[in-house]
């Protein structure tokens, strides 16, 4: 019985939260205990792998026997013994726990370039990356491509910045290459601040070497000898894996002096972000690396001319850099085959919110929202109605359900008043209030405004005040027009991208959901039933069985009544938390 | 305290640090930024304390007051927001009776804080309890976790 057995356990942040470590320990223990290793094969190994995207099903485990892969979902440590016994020893997969059809439909329409190796390689083992063509692109570059050739390849591929703005990467590199000076820097922007986006975290957690390799190639192209990864401190696992990967790359001679005997020197340092959304903006990020308050400055000069410590600097996003090695390996034309005319390649999106299958997906640019939501996402949770899709985080907008057939690329989303942004995609259903969503994003941008320029600092504050009074039921006639005028002013007058895009969520929700704003202002009603001050909970007497469940969960003690008698909510005490509404089994509580 | 400060100063000199790296080391060592520590560094480096506080108050990571023994971080990202983060935060502040405008209980046992996004959106809503990520959180499960933490003291 000489089998080649490989067990891969998902250990991204999602996998670990679901108990990935414990599952891995259980496998190791179970395999050792029964002397399985000796019994079935010497070639039996247990690996951790990064996120494969479908975190909602964690812990996901692949059991690969002689190349044949079986994937299990929702695995807990106490299930491991049976898998080992029946599948690994017995040869029969435990069908009750394997992934079903929907797991495969989730992956069917995806094309994985950046995420191809996430979920396959062990992120803490450089050999695992090397065995899948890792560092081949770097070898190709250093053994025969001039920096100019590298830049023209990236330009030809059509790769555009994946961090939000969509600036052509090759052009950016070319600017920095041409900028005069001997000292230049390359920075990887891993300060993934958009709420609702987590692809950069997953890429670094799942395949850190791809980012490092992309960075080395970029450094060679522009002529930099030092690089920085500016990464959020909120991502401890990604930081840890990046540290390990950098050390391994140094040991193998991919970083340091005279890389692969080419005479090219380059190394990378990690800089931990200290928690400020505005630091995703290039000039603010540079200020933060220099140890200052992360406040943006006017451009020009652009960082490619005058960046870190006044030297020419290129700043690329994590996903952008991870695209570089496959482009170099497979050629620019291979990459340009995917996508649309102006938006080439694939894009990773974080599909979250009210869809059935939440997770990280990678799709060709130009795919429709419908395919993403219904084919990959499996449709809306609880068979409710789709209302809107929020893309691009606080800088983006809400696209209403009637437009879900538009292609997802930089240009189309911009025409809709939204952006691709870093790739957050939050699906909302009829129970989500669009005014509340606009207010949510303004709360965010208002708090994160650095305060340097007046339009952003005070403009976002005033916008938030107006949105707050609308959701509180104190909206005034004329508020909608005031929001629009003020939004336009904030966009036009702000210094950096934060302020210039902060009003987008307001403008796009007014554009598509004006009636909802009007209902709040004129009828003092929240159609989605979200805004607390516009809500009352009442008990419908004829449905109430007097089971006392609602009275028991009510945190305010606002529900009174005798056992087996209809209960009543004392409105003066009710805090409108909705706990009763969710608990009642008899649908006896009315919200409205 | 003195020894720790000395060590941080040496690290700063060796690694060509800056104000942010000093503050990060202080936060790691003490759990917050003690005023005395800032004053000490200010003298050592001849940088006015206002510069330190300017940076410290700019970034969310730095705290100027001591924090609780247990730190509960509720994610307020978009996905968590639409999946009910607010209910979770409300249930926390209510249960722990955190005074309004504060984030820490009077006995310094618990600190409740919000974070913009921890990037675990597909298992929203997310709560981090003492650095451990918990996904698909409900107020009920959270109350159980709180009980466990209270017993463990």
């Amino acid at each position: 019985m000489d089998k080649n057995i490989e067990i891969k356990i998902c250990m991204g942040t999602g996998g670990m939260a679901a108990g990935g470590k414990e599952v891995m320990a259980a496998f190791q223990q179970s395999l050792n205990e029964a002397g399985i290793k000796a019994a079935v094969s010497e070639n039996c190994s247990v690996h951790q792998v990064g996120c494969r995207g479908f975190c909602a099903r964690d812990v996901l485990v692949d059991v690969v026997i002689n190349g044949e892969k079986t994937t299990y979902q929702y695995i807990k440590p106490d299930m491991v013994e049976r898998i080992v016994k029946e599948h690994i020893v017995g040869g029969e997969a435990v069908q009750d726990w394997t992934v079903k059809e929907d797991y495969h439909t989730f992956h069917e329409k995806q094309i994985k370039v950046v995420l191809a190796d996430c979920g396959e390689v062990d992120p803490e083992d450089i050999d695992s990356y090397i065995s899948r063509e890792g560092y081949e692109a770097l070898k190709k570059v250093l053994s025969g491509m001039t920096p100019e050739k590298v830049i023209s390849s990236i330009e030809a591929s059509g790769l555009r910045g994946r961090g939000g703005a969509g600036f052509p990467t090759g052009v950016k590199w070319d600017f920095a290459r041409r900028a005069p000076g001997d000292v230049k820097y390359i920075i990887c922007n891993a300060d993934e601040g958009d709420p609702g986006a987590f692809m950069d975290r997953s890429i670094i957690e799942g395949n850190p070497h791809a980012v490092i390799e992309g960075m080395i190639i970029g450094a060679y192209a522009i002529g930099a000898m030092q690089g920085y990864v500016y990464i959020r401190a909120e991502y401890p696992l990604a930081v840890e894996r990046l540290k390990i990967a950098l050390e391994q790359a140094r040991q193998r001679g991919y970083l340091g002096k005279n890389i692969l005997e080419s005479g090219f020197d380059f190394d990378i340092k990690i800089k931990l972000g200290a928690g400020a959304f505005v630091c995703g903006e290039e000039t603010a990020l540079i200020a933060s690396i220099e140890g200052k308050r992360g406040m943006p400055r006017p451009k020009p000069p652009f960082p490619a001319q005058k960046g870190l410590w006044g030297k020419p600097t290129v700043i690329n996003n994590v996903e952008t850099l991870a695209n570089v090695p496959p482009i170099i390996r497979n050629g620019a034309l291979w990459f340009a085959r995917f996508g649309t005319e102006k938006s080439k390649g694939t894009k990773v999106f974080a599909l979250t919110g009210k869809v059935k299958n939440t997770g990280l997906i990678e799709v060709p640019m130009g795919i429709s929202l419908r395919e993403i939501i219904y084919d990959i996402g499996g449709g809306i949770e609880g068979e409710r109605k789709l209302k809107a899709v929020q893309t691009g985080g606080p800088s983006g907008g809400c696209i209403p359900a009637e437009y879900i057939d538009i292609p997802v690329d930089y240009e189309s989303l911009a025409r809709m008043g939204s952006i691709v942004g870093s790739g957050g995609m939050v699906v909302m259903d009829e129970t989500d209030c669009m005014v509340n969503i606009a207010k949510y994003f303004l709360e965010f941008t208002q708090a994160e405004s650095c305060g340097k320029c007046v339009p952003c600092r005070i403009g976002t504050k005033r916008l938030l005040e107006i949105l707050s009074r609308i959701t509180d039921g104190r909206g005034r006639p004329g508020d909608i027009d005031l929001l629009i005028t003020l939004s336009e002013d904030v966009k036009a007058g702000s210094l950096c991208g934060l302020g210039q895009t902060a009003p987008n969520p307001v403008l796009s929700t007014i554009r598509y959901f004006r009636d909802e704003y009007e209902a709040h202002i004129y009828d003092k009603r929240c159609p989605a039933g979200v805004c607390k001050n516009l809500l009352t909970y009442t008990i419908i007497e004829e449905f109430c069985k007097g089971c006392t469940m609602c009275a028991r969960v009510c945190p305010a003690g606002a529900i009174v009544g005798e056992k087996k008698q209809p209960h009543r909510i004392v409105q003066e005490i009710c805090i409108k938390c909705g706990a009763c509404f969710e608990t009642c089994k008899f649908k006896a509580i009315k919200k409205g | 305290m003195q020894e720790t400060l000395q060590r941080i100063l040496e690290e700063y000199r060796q690694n060509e640090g800056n104000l942010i790296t000093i503050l990060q080391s202080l936060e790691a060592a003490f759990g917050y930024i003690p005023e005395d520590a800032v004053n000490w560094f200010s003298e050592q480096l001849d940088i006015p304390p206002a510069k330190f506080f300017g940076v410290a108050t700019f970034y969310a990571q730095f705290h100027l007051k001591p924090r609780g023994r247990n730190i509960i971080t509720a994610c307020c990202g978009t996905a968590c927001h639409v999946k009910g983060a607010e209910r979770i935060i409300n249930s926390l502040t209510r249960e722990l009776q955190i005074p309004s405008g504060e984030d820490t209980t009077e006995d310094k046992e618990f600190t409740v804080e919000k974070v913009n996004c921890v990037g675990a959106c597909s298992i929203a809503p997310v709560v981090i309890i003492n650095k451990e990520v918990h996904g698909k959180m409900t107020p009920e499960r959270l109350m159980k976790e709180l009980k466990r933490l209270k017993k463990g003291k």
Side-chain angles (χ1 to χ4, degrees):
Chain A
M1 266 232 283
D2 198 24
K3 290 189 212 166
N4 201 343
I5 299 169
E6 224 183 334
I7 295 159
K8 294 179 174 177
I9 297 157
C10 187
M11 291 263 250
T13 295
M16 281 196 176
K21 264 190 186 160
E22 290 74 21
V23 170
M24 183 151 170
F27 265 106
Q28 274 156 342
Q29 196 194 357
S30 189
L31 288 168
N32 289 336
E33 231 170 38
I36 306 282
K37 267 192 178 162
V40 289
S41 166
E42 284 300 308
N43 300 324
C44 178
S45 54
V46 183
H47 297 291
Q48 55 175 352
V49 293
C51 180
R52 60 190 88 198
F54 213 165
C55 316
R57 298 285 167 91
D58 273 325
V59 179
L60 286 159
V61 175
D62 284 341
V63 174
V64 190
I65 300 180
N66 292 337
E68 198 180 311
K69 180 159 92 179
T70 310
T71 305
Y72 290 99
Q73 60 186 4
Y74 301 122
I75 296 305
K76 298 261 171 269
D78 57 5
M79 297 157 83
V80 168
E81 203 186 324
R82 188 172 154 202
I83 296 176
V84 171
K85 222 157 127 190
E86 294 183 17
H87 190 178
I88 295 172
V89 179
E92 286 284 323
V94 185
Q95 295 298 344
D96 302 351
W97 300 337
T98 55
V99 294
K100 303 290 176 284
E101 191 57 31
D102 58 351
Y103 179 84
H104 300 291
T105 49
F106 178 77
H107 288 103
E108 241 160 43
K109 289 213 168 169
Q110 299 194 44
I111 294 178
K112 298 201 173 186
V113 173
V114 172
L115 298 180
D117 290 335
C118 284
E120 294 295 335
V121 301
D122 181 339
E124 296 182 14
D125 177 9
I126 192 169
D127 286 319
S128 176
Y129 180 62
I130 290 171
S131 74
R132 296 178 70 92
E133 295 186 282
Y135 290 106
E136 288 300 319
L138 180 65
K139 284 180 195 158
K140 186 172 168 186
V141 163
L142 293 182
S143 65
M145 286 173 84
T146 61
E148 289 76 14
K149 182 84 191 41
V150 174
I151 291 174
S152 65
S153 289
I154 297 298
E155 272 183 25
S157 74
L159 176 64
R160 294 168 65 174
R162 297 294 193 240
F167 192 80
T169 307
V171 176
K172 201 186 234 185
W173 286 8
D174 193 42
F175 281 152
R177 170 99 209 145
R178 287 164 192 268
D182 297 332
V183 181
K184 294 176 186 178
Y185 298 103
I186 185 166
I187 298 172
C188 169
N189 184 351
D191 191 45
E192 186 170 51
D194 275 8
F198 56 97
M199 54 287 299
D200 295 348
R201 171 182 69 70
S202 296
I203 293 167
I204 294 178
E205 282 177 7
N207 196 7
H209 285 288
V211 182
I212 295 172
E213 188 179 3
M215 244 180 121
I216 306 171
I217 294 170
Y220 173 78
I222 68 163
M225 286 165 67
Q226 182 65 53
Y228 292 90
V229 179
Y230 186 83
I231 183 167
R232 292 180 80 195
E234 286 91 341
Y235 289 174
L237 183 63
V239 173
E240 191 50 40
R241 291 201 173 144
L242 193 61
K243 275 186 190 159
I244 294 171
L246 286 174
E247 195 43 50
Q248 290 175 342
R250 261 179 223 122
Q251 279 169 8
R252 298 296 175 92
Y254 297 123
L255 281 174
K257 294 261 176 238
N258 193 15
I259 295 172
L260 302 175
E261 313 284 321
S262 65
F264 170 57
D265 305 337
F266 178 66
D267 211 333
I268 298 173
K269 278 188 193 162
I270 296 177
K271 282 278 174 186
L272 285 188
F277 175 68
V278 70
C279 288
E281 199 278 341
E282 295 189 324
T283 57
L285 187 153
I286 287 171
S288 183
I289 291 185
E290 292 172 352
K292 303 174 193 155
R293 287 164 69 98
M295 299 210 278
R297 61 158 175 78
K299 293 188 272 192
F302 292 95
Q305 301 153 330
K306 245 180 140 185
L308 190 59
W309 293 298
K311 307 293 181 194
T313 303
V314 154
I315 301 174
N316 288 132
N317 154 273
V318 171
E319 190 187 334
T320 314
L321 289 168
N323 267 304
V324 170
I327 291 175
I328 298 288
R329 273 201 316 265
N330 305 316
L333 292 177
W334 165 84
F335 183 80
R337 271 195 351 226
F338 307 116
T340 61
E341 195 199 334
K342 286 188 175 161
S343 305
K344 300 291 186 199
T346 60
K347 174 79 189 90
V348 181
F349 288 100
L351 183 62
T352 59
K354 306 287 177 67
V355 276
K356 283 182 190 151
N357 304 335
T358 55
L360 208 59
I361 60 166
E362 183 172 358
V363 289
M365 289 275 193
I367 191 173
S368 72
L369 277 174
R370 181 185 297 279
E371 286 170 279
I372 292 179
I373 296 166
Y374 288 97
D375 297 343
I376 298 172
I380 309 300
E381 259 182 359
E383 306 306 333
R384 280 192 293 264
K385 242 175 77 190
L386 170 71
K387 184 171 194 175
V389 185
Q390 208 284 337
T391 68
S395 315
C398 291
I399 298 168
E402 56 264 39
Y403 292 105
I404 58 168
D405 287 308
I406 59 153
V408 176
D409 60 33
Y410 292 107
E411 281 72 26
S412 308
L413 291 193
R415 272 196 300 275
M416 300 297 298
S418 188
I419 57 168
V420 171
S422 54
M425 204 172 254
V426 185
V427 177
M428 290 179 265
D429 66 19
E430 54 205 336
T431 63
D432 290 307
C433 167
M434 292 297 123
V435 189
N436 172 281
I437 290 295
K439 182 181 140 212
Y440 164 79
F441 282 117
L442 255 294
E443 269 170 7
F444 179 86
T445 37
Q446 189 270 322
E448 291 296 336
S449 170
C450 80
K452 182 168 177 171
C453 74
V454 178
C456 176
R457 183 181 69 233
I458 299 176
T460 53
K461 181 93 182 161
R462 293 287 98 87
L463 283 172
L464 177 60
E465 282 169 2
I466 300 168
L467 288 166
S468 300
R469 76 172 175 241
I470 295 176
T471 53
D472 282 351
R474 294 179 290 109
R476 306 169 195 160
D479 271 354
I480 298 178
D481 292 326
L482 184 57
L483 281 173
I484 295 173
T485 317
L486 193 49
S487 290
E488 297 296 350
D489 292 344
V490 172
K491 276 176 82 117
S494 293
L495 172 63
C496 83
L498 194 156
Q500 287 160 9
T501 59
N504 283 350
V506 184
L507 289 173
S508 76
T509 47
I510 293 180
R511 180 167 159 191
Y512 300 115
F513 300 97
R514 198 178 176 114
D515 55 331
E516 232 172 289
Y517 278 83
E518 285 166 351
H520 282 77
I521 296 172
Y522 299 107
D523 311 341
K524 309 294 172 205
R525 185 171 63 84
C526 174
V530 173
C531 298
K532 268 189 191 173
N533 278 7
L534 303 177
L535 277 185
T536 40
Y537 288 93
T538 42
I539 294 178
I540 309 168
E541 270 194 28
E542 53 267 44
F543 293 165
C544 180
K545 306 270 185 233
C547 73
T548 74
M549 270 305 283
C550 58
R552 271 183 278 162
V553 296
C554 178
I559 302 181
V560 292
E562 294 293 316
K563 235 184 197 173
K564 298 194 177 166
Q565 294 295 317
H567 280 49
R568 188 170 60 83
I569 300 175
V570 184
Q571 296 299 337
E572 295 72 39
I573 308 177
C574 173
I575 55 166
K576 297 166 183 177
C577 68
C580 55
F581 182 80
E582 276 159 43
T583 310
C584 181
K585 290 185 185 133
F586 308 101
K587 298 206 165 131
I589 290 170
K590 199 176 101 190
K591 182 161 86 166
Chain B
M1 186 168 184
Q2 196 56 40
E3 263 173 44
T4 316
L5 294 182
Q6 202 67 47
R7 173 179 60 80
I8 295 172
L9 181 65
E10 265 158 44
E11 280 170 6
Y12 160 83
R13 289 199 167 123
Q14 271 171 18
N15 303 331
E16 298 165 40
N18 54 43
L19 290 192
I20 293 180
T21 57
I22 292 176
L23 291 170
Q24 282 172 332
S25 306
L26 287 175
E27 182 82 29
F30 303 107
Y32 75 110
I33 312 284
E35 195 178 333
D36 291 347
V38 169
N39 291 335
W40 187 83
F41 268 102
S42 161
E43 268 176 34
Q44 298 290 322
L45 302 172
D46 199 21
I47 298 172
K51 281 256 177 209
F52 282 88
F53 287 114
V55 173
T57 51
F58 187 84
Y59 295 99
Q61 204 185 70
F62 303 124
H63 306 88
L64 298 179
K65 283 188 202 163
R67 296 196 296 155
R69 199 170 62 86
N70 294 296
I71 294 176
I72 304 178
T73 313
C75 179
C76 296
T78 323
C80 291
H81 177 76
V82 300
K83 291 230 173 172
E86 207 182 320
R87 273 190 61 208
I88 285 175
I89 295 162
N90 289 344
S91 69
L92 264 176
T93 45
R94 224 173 19 236
E95 176 67 24
L96 294 171
Q97 299 179 348
I98 292 174
S100 95
E102 297 285 327
D103 60 2
T104 304
T105 53
E106 270 166 19
D107 59 5
K108 298 269 181 290
E109 275 296 307
F110 289 94
T111 290
V112 174
E113 52 188 27
K114 297 182 191 178
V115 63
N116 286 337
C117 184
V118 296
C121 317
S122 54
I123 49 172
V126 174
V127 173
I128 300 176
I129 302 173
N130 295 329
K131 294 191 175 166
E132 213 173 89
V133 179
H134 297 257
K136 300 177 189 168
M137 191 45 95
T138 61
E140 294 73 37
R141 254 184 67 210
L142 193 54
M143 290 309 121
K144 272 187 201 155
E145 290 289 335
L146 282 186
K147 261 187 202 150
R148 198 174 54 83
L149 289 173
K150 281 181 180 164
K151 266 188 198 155
K153 74 172 165 184

